[in-house]
Amino acid sequence: MLHERVIEKVVLVLYSLYLLTFTNGIISSKIGVNYGRLGNNLPSPYESIRYIRNMRAGRVKLYDANPEVLKLLSGTHIQVSIMVTNDLISSVASSQEQANQWVLENVLAYYPDTMIRYVLVGNEVLSYNDKKMWDDLVPAMRNIKTAIRAHNINNIKIGTPLAMDMLASSYPPSSGRFRPEVEHVMLPLLNFLNGTKGFFFLDVYPYFPWSSDPSSISLDFALFRNGNSSYQDPESRLVYTNLLDQMLDSVNFAMEKLGYNNIRMAIAETGWPNGGDIDEPGANVYNAAVYNRYVVQKITANPPIGTPARPGTIIPTFIFSLYNENRKTGRGTERNWGLLNSSGRPMYEIDLTGKHNSSSYHDTLPLPTNNTPYRGKLWCVVAEGVDNSDQLINAAQFACGQGNGTCDALQPEGECYQPFTPRDHANYAFSSNWAKFKNTGATCYFNGLAMQTTEDPSHDSCRFPSVIV
Ligand SMILES: *[C@@H]1O[C@H](CO)[C@@H](O)[C@H](O)[C@H]1NC(C)=O
Ligand SMILES: *[C@@H]1O[C@H](CO)[C@@H](O)[C@H](O)[C@H]1NC(C)=O
Ligand SMILES: *[C@@H]1O[C@H](CO)[C@@H](O)[C@H](O)[C@H]1NC(C)=O
């Protein structure tokens, strides 16, 4: 009898120890990195996992469930977040069988040797205008949850990363509320997260509000360097010393307005671009280092800091991103979020464990030169190092093909017909296309063949159209 009691007690103690470490494991403040792979020049998965380990990241987030990567992560102590890609959401939502199959192939095949801890269903689903996908999101999450629970697995959380554009208002933070048209998705989503003690995963980038309005928002506030000045929310009376906290709390307040004040936040993506186009202020190595270092300091602080509206909470965080990724389209900053360059070399020193914390840390970095917006004319020309004529001819044809007289000057009678080379014609076509269509979303990218310049390429009687910023 006595023995049985003792054994019972030992088992109980062991069980609570297990629960403790287990809980800590789930919500530790270890910093994670996003392992995006949209580059054609990136190190192999094998090397990438080595880099991730060497930089002592505690977690890694994938944008899929790549078998090679998941195998390579097995036996490491890195917690892993995998993703059901957007194109699979509807089928996973439509049948439990499909969800079971997905879990079988993408979770059970690697778990527990690979420490899968999060399955994220979709990526920024509400940022796409696809109402069917919106409606299928929560049913897909439920089906994945059911499939995982059927195997008695309790340490994998289901979530979905959403972007700030789900909010109708975010400033001041207390005004935070969801867009009316996403509310019918938010209500079941919050209900699911509350019921499963899941995290609200947020993609949150202070860089974007700051860079779109750098004269109203101070760069120091965006970069956690606010000294003692601060902003008090007129409604909540809460005091803010940085933009990230404001953005996080605007989502906290939005959730509260729908009746949920206890759902924990996780940062699925945050970061600062280390480079970009000329018309993108503040995108440089210095600011990226300062921002990401302060994020690490904040998130790894012990005891945890949380946010003004949720003080003391641990916020699991994934920095975006492991690499600069050259195959991402859009503006220059899109391709420059890496902690590492595409050869796997650090863009700047950073200690993801948060232990290195000296004030001279930033002193070795080159000082930024683009923290105030460039004002003047810009042209879009063939990027340095591009010498493939076929590619240039195709890209120029594409640029001219958008119409609106983009390439009239390149016709045989036109003032820019000479010199008749693929490079010269592409220079003109890129500039003219960008000048004509920038307002409707065109970028100076052209598959990586183009770059912005402040130098007027006009020559002889050939005037290049410019963009004025
Ligand atoms: C959230 O979950 C808790 C239990 O964990 C429950 O008491 C509470 O009522 C739930 N909130 C809502 C709004 O459903
Ligand atoms: C902030 O205030 C504290 C206490 O008043 C002071 O010691 C510190 O030097 C101030 N820091 C800055 C950056 O102004
Ligand atoms: C990455 O950085 C290393 C060291 O600074 C440099 O030699 C290499 O050329 C860089 N690679 C790229 C693709 O920029």
Side-chain angles (χ1 to χ4, degrees):
M1 274 302 271
L2 189 69
H3 263 89
E4 268 175 34
R5 283 267 176 82
V6 169
I7 287 172
E8 226 173 70
K9 269 202 177 150
V10 167
V11 166
L12 256 177
V13 166
L14 282 178
Y15 183 61
S16 29
L17 267 178
Y18 165 76
L19 272 186
L20 260 177
T21 34
F22 164 77
T23 317
N24 277 340
I26 282 224
I27 56 166
S28 79
S29 56
K30 285 178 187 159
I31 295 286
V33 290
N34 280 280
Y35 178 16
R37 306 195 303 139
L38 296 177
N40 62 5
N41 56 355
L42 297 180
S44 69
Y46 178 82
E47 289 171 291
S48 302
I49 304 304
R50 206 162 49 83
Y51 292 137
I52 292 169
R53 294 177 76 163
N54 285 346
M55 61 172 69
R56 312 248 215 106
R59 303 184 165 100
V60 61
K61 174 165 158 274
L62 312 179
Y63 289 87
D64 52 20
N66 181 279
E68 186 184 3
V69 176
L70 286 174
K71 261 191 218 112
L72 287 165
L73 283 165
S74 121
T76 69
H77 291 288
I78 300 173
Q79 299 191 355
V80 184
S81 174
I82 60 175
M83 191 173 274
V84 179
T85 49
N86 287 358
D87 56 312
L88 294 178
I89 290 176
S90 290
S91 75
V92 166
S94 70
S95 96
Q96 186 60 53
E97 196 43 51
Q98 299 271 356
N100 295 348
Q101 193 59 30
W102 194 91
V103 165
L104 202 63
E105 286 170 13
N106 301 288
V107 178
L108 294 172
Y110 312 100
Y111 178 95
D113 297 345
T114 300
M115 293 172 56
I116 298 171
R117 291 294 177 270
Y118 306 96
V119 175
L120 300 187
V121 178
N123 196 35
E124 301 189 345
V125 164
L126 297 178
S127 306
Y128 297 86
N129 190 17
D130 180 344
K131 299 293 154 61
K132 170 145 175 56
M133 182 162 70
W134 292 15
D135 291 338
D136 287 338
L137 176 60
V138 178
M141 293 172 76
R142 284 205 197 96
N143 285 352
I144 294 287
K145 177 81 194 170
T146 303
I148 288 177
R149 203 188 287 138
H151 297 277
N152 288 319
I153 296 172
N154 296 312
N155 61 351
I156 297 181
K157 296 282 185 199
I158 318 300
T160 186
L162 298 175
M164 290 294 288
D165 60 3
M166 71 190 142
L167 295 183
S169 166
S170 63
Y171 180 83
S174 62
S175 77
R177 64 191 157 79
F178 296 112
R179 276 159 43 207
E181 66 269 32
V182 305
E183 247 178 46
H184 73 284
V185 185
M186 275 306 159
L187 281 166
L189 174 62
L190 296 179
N191 180 51
F192 173 85
L193 294 177
N194 188 54
T196 58
K197 305 211 182 308
F199 290 92
F200 193 103
F201 276 88
L202 185 66
D203 292 350
V204 55
Y205 291 100
Y207 175 73
F208 291 121
W210 173 77
S211 64
S212 69
D213 198 2
S215 56
S216 321
I217 304 175
S218 107
L219 181 59
D220 284 341
F221 194 66
L223 291 178
F224 295 88
R225 290 186 309 200
N226 208 32
N228 283 346
S229 60
S230 50
Y231 168 80
Q232 184 171 35
D233 187 310
E235 191 62 35
S236 69
R237 317 304 293 170
L238 294 170
V239 172
Y240 289 88
T241 57
N242 65 79
L243 187 51
L244 177 66
D245 277 344
Q246 282 196 357
M247 295 172 81
L248 293 172
D249 274 354
S250 64
V251 176
N252 281 323
F253 278 104
M255 289 197 277
E256 213 167 289
K257 290 196 180 93
L258 294 185
Y260 294 89
N261 51 15
N262 251 327
I263 296 176
R264 293 175 295 175
M265 188 85 78
I267 298 178
E269 293 181 3
T270 193
W272 193 281
N274 57 56
D277 291 333
I278 294 171
D279 63 349
E280 295 180 292
N284 56 59
V285 166
Y286 188 95
N287 293 350
V290 169
Y291 179 83
N292 282 327
R293 288 167 181 175
Y294 278 125
V295 165
V296 171
Q297 238 179 68
K298 171 186 169 66
I299 298 300
T300 59
N302 192 10
I305 298 172
T307 67
R310 299 271 188 279
T313 53
I314 290 176
I315 307 169
T317 294
F318 295 87
I319 289 177
F320 190 86
S321 186
L322 183 59
Y323 295 119
N324 285 344
E325 296 169 72
N326 70 349
R327 301 318 288 172
K328 297 189 77 176
T329 58
R331 308 187 69 187
T333 46
E334 281 299 313
R335 295 172 285 285
N336 290 287
W337 296 92
L339 297 174
L340 308 178
N341 76 10
S342 54
S343 318
R345 300 290 294 272
M347 295 298 299
Y348 44 85
E349 202 188 325
I350 186 165
D351 172 16
L352 297 184
T353 67
K355 296 203 174 88
H356 187 326
N357 184 13
S358 116
S359 52
S360 63
Y361 203 11
H362 311 316
D363 292 354
T364 55
L365 295 167
L367 285 173
T369 55
N370 65 347
N371 278 352
T372 49
Y374 169 82
R375 294 280 171 239
K377 292 182 175 176
L378 286 174
W379 292 266
C380 181
V381 296
V382 176
E384 280 157 21
V386 172
D387 53 11
N388 185 319
S389 306
D390 288 344
Q391 280 184 348
L392 283 180
I393 290 167
N394 287 339
Q397 260 169 11
F398 169 82
C400 296
Q402 310 302 302
N404 209 3
T406 305
C407 294
D408 287 356
L410 293 178
Q411 300 305 310
E413 306 302 316
E415 55 274 29
C416 298
Y417 183 65
Q418 296 293 348
F420 187 70
T421 73
R423 189 177 200 87
D424 284 291
H425 274 222
N427 276 342
Y428 183 89
F430 292 169
S431 269
S432 180
N433 177 286
W434 191 43
K436 284 206 187 328
F437 300 108
K438 178 171 186 285
N439 286 341
T440 50
T443 55
C444 175
Y445 176 58
F446 299 102
N447 246 337
L449 302 178
M451 65 172 195
Q452 297 179 4
T453 178
T454 57
E455 275 169 48
D456 186 356
S458 300
H459 54 84
D460 307 313
S461 61
C462 170
R463 300 287 106 207
F464 273 57
S466 64
V467 159
I468 298 171
V469 294

